């Protein structure tokens, strides 16, 4: 007990020690404001749902504009998303339907078939690109390939309108011209976005599957005939 009391005696008077207000305290204690402000800018927890939806729609619209004016850019790779490809795939699948849900002869691919061709084809092309040494990520490639279906989807809408007037030689010639232009547009746009992410000596091996992918979709559009 005595030893414990002796050990506590040097600190016994510390509770009575006070620092005078006249003695300046050196040092600067400050809270960084920049990091908090930056976190608030990127935080969407308090953002209204309307603003979030509008921001996503603007991002999708900007990617559509980049596909309309394709050039070597990382616009589709920097902020990738799959909303645009999903919308285009659903639209294309609906346009390729024959219209009569209970008919045995649909006059075109089934809805599920279009989904399988588009997404399975995109996955195969992405895996091929990765195996050849591409630096693009898996979802970035899916984003680019999906968004570049837009010209072919627009071509499908034009072909449906042309088919309303008949399916003669003139109609086929118009549809062939529209599908050919949209096929070249989709191929050129996708290769423009993916060019810088591939090894220089293997670009042809990457472009060839992309060519086949859009060719199959274009062939489905060209050979489509509505059910009677």
């Amino acid at each position: 007990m005595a030893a414990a009391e002796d050990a506590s005696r040097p600190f016994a008077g510390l509770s009575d020690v006070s620092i005078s207000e006249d003695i300046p305290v050196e040092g600067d204690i400050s809270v960084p404001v920049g990091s908090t402000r930056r976190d608030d800018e990127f935080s969407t927890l308090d953002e209204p749902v309307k603003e979030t939806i509008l921001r996503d729609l603007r991002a999708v619209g900007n990617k559509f504009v980049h596909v309309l004016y394709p050039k070597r850019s990382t616009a589709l790779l920097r902020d990738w998303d799959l909303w645009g490809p999903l919308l285009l795939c659903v639209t294309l699948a609906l346009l390729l339907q024959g219209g009569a849900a209970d008919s045995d002869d649909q006059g075109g691919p089934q809805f599920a078939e279009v989904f399988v061709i588009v997404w399975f084809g995109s996955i195969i092309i992405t895996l091929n690109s990765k195996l050849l040494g591409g630096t693009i990520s898996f979802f970035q490639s899916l984003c680019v390939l999906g968004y570049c279906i837009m010209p072919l989807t627009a071509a499908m809408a034009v072909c449906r309108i042309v088919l309303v007037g008949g399916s003669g030689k003139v109609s086929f010639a118009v549809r062939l011209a529209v599908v050919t232009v949209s096929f070249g547009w989709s191929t050129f746009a996708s290769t423009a976005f993916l060019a810088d992410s591939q090894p220089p000596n293997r670009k042809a091996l990457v472009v060839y599957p992309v060519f086949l992918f859009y060719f199959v979709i274009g062939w489905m559009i060209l050979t489509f005939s509505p059910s009677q």
Side-chain angles (χ1 to χ4, degrees):
M1 293 292 295
E5 292 178 358
D6 294 338
S8 61
R9 285 176 184 174
F11 303 98
L14 290 179
S15 60
D16 299 331
V17 176
S18 61
I19 300 176
S20 175
E21 296 180 357
D22 297 334
I23 301 176
V25 180
E26 295 182 358
D28 185 15
I29 301 176
S30 60
V31 179
V33 181
S35 60
T36 305
R37 186 177 303 167
R38 191 178 300 112
D39 293 338
D40 292 339
E41 291 177 357
F42 290 97
S43 177
T44 58
L45 295 177
D46 299 329
E47 185 181 39
V49 177
K50 180 181 178 181
E51 293 296 328
T52 303
I53 296 175
L54 290 177
R55 188 183 70 252
D56 293 339
L57 289 177
R58 284 193 295 267
V60 172
N62 290 332
K63 292 182 177 66
F64 283 148
V65 172
H66 284 292
V67 176
L68 289 175
Y69 301 97
K71 60 181 180 179
R72 289 197 172 186
S73 172
T74 59
L76 292 184
L77 304 179
R78 185 171 55 250
D79 300 319
W80 61 267
D81 68 81
L82 298 180
W83 290 113
L86 179 62
L87 175 63
L88 291 172
C89 183
V90 171
T91 304
L92 181 62
L94 291 175
L95 290 174
L96 282 171
Q97 292 301 299
D102 298 331
S103 176
D104 294 333
D105 184 13
Q106 293 291 329
Q110 298 291 333
F111 188 90
E113 292 177 358
V114 177
F115 249 77
V116 170
I117 291 174
V118 171
W119 290 105
F120 186 73
S122 300
I123 292 173
I124 293 298
I125 295 174
T126 302
L127 293 177
N128 176 71
S129 174
K130 295 295 291 182
L131 292 175
L132 290 174
T135 58
I136 189 173
S137 70
F138 183 81
F139 290 104
Q140 285 176 333
S141 179
L142 291 181
C143 175
V144 171
L145 294 172
Y147 270 101
C148 290
I149 298 178
M150 185 181 66
L152 289 168
T153 305
M156 184 64 225
V158 174
C159 290
R160 288 297 298 253
I161 297 174
V162 172
L163 285 171
V164 174
S167 56
K169 293 182 179 180
V170 177
S171 174
F172 179 79
V174 173
R175 289 185 289 124
L176 178 61
V178 172
V179 172
T180 302
V181 172
S182 62
F183 162 72
W185 197 341
S186 295
T187 304
F188 174 76
S190 60
T191 53
F193 289 116
L194 299 175
D196 294 334
S197 63
Q198 307 300 327
N201 57 341
R202 297 180 178 178
K203 288 184 178 181
L205 297 175
V206 176
V207 173
Y208 180 67
V210 175
F211 176 88
L212 291 179
F213 174 65
Y214 291 120
F215 179 81
V216 170
I217 298 177
W219 182 258
M220 290 192 303
I221 297 172
L222 182 62
T223 57
F224 171 81
S225 59
S227 61
Q228 301 298 328

